[in-house]
Amino acid sequence: MDLETVERYVRATGASHSEIQSEMAEYADEHGFPIIGPDAGAVLRMLARLTDAERVFEFGSGYGYSASWFLDGGADEVVLTEIDEDELDMARTFLDRAGDADRAHFEHGDALETVDAYEGPFDVVLIDHDKPRYDQGFDKAREKVPEGGVIVADNMTRGPIDLDALTAYFADDEPLPEDASDGTEGIANYVEHVRADPAFESFVLPVGSGLCLSTRVAER
């Protein structure tokens, strides 16, 4: 069975968009805007439910697509961060129309700076901003995540990365190519970084563009 067949099966049996999420997805298709998609979105929704999330923090929110899944999962509060003010305004409009804007905080600016203004705790953190700075996002968030909380990072298997190079790096101990993109190096550094942290258990889930889930556990 090939990967395309598996993906079709997952999509056919997976989550459906709400009316507002359908509009968001249509906008992404029309404008070539990268979103996590409904399968990864369903994972975010489940994480919100499983952690009984009171607060969620997003490093990079675009126009609110991923936040809509957290909110659909019952999160009491989601902090959206976005450096593009127009996208943040779109997020506010979409989530307001969905009836969820009262549970969202819209922060314009660099997420790595914004997170310092929040003490936490955050039950779930999404890292989906600049790939070379993923590990910085993790370090900024890790002490704000309680035991049982989850940090999830997007674009582990798709996006501005070379999956073949990453597979060779981790599975065969081959060095990354000298011309590896910043995104590829950023993902490699991130996965190494979180796997080496004794306070977290981490694994890559091949859903959507690939998610790395890191759950905070008691340090061993």
Side-chain angles (χ1 to χ4, degrees), residues 59 112 125 127 129 133-142:
F59 286 84
L112 291 175
V125 171
I127 298 178
H129 61 147
R133 301 197 300 163
Y134 266 29
D135 54 353
Q136 295 179 53
F138 180 87
D139 287 342
K140 289 271 191 177
R142 71 181 302 282

Side-chain angles (χ1 to χ4, degrees), residues 43-59 66 70 73 75 77-79 121-127 141 144-146 148-153 200 212-214:
V43 174
L44 302 188
R45 182 175 64 186
M46 183 173 289
L47 290 176
R49 293 200 192 282
L50 291 176
T51 61
D52 195 19
E54 294 183 6
R55 302 179 79 197
V56 174
F57 188 93
E58 294 190 335
F59 286 84
S66 55
F70 284 126
E77 175 185 340
V78 178
V79 179
F122 292 108
D123 301 292
V124 187
V125 171
L126 173 64
I127 298 178
K144 302 174 191 282
V145 175
V150 182
I151 298 177
V152 53
F200 287 83
C212 182
L213 274 62
S214 301

Side-chain angles (χ1 to χ4, degrees), residues 2-22:
D2 60 26
L3 181 58
E4 182 180 354
T5 300
V6 173
E7 290 179 344
R8 288 182 62 209
Y9 174 69
V10 170
R11 179 78 299 276
T13 60
S16 299
H17 279 137
S18 67
E19 182 178 344
I20 297 299
Q21 287 170 338
S22 291

Side-chain angles (χ1 to χ4, degrees), residues 2 5 42 55 115 168 170-171 193 202:
D2 60 26
T5 300
R55 302 179 79 197
V115 71
F170 285 107
H193 190 60
S202 301

Side-chain angles (χ1 to χ4, degrees), residues 145-149 197-202 214-220:
V145 175
E147 188 173 332
D197 193 320
F200 287 83
E201 293 177 346
S202 301
S214 301
T215 304
R216 178 140 205 156
V217 296
E219 287 196 47
R220 297 183 291 271

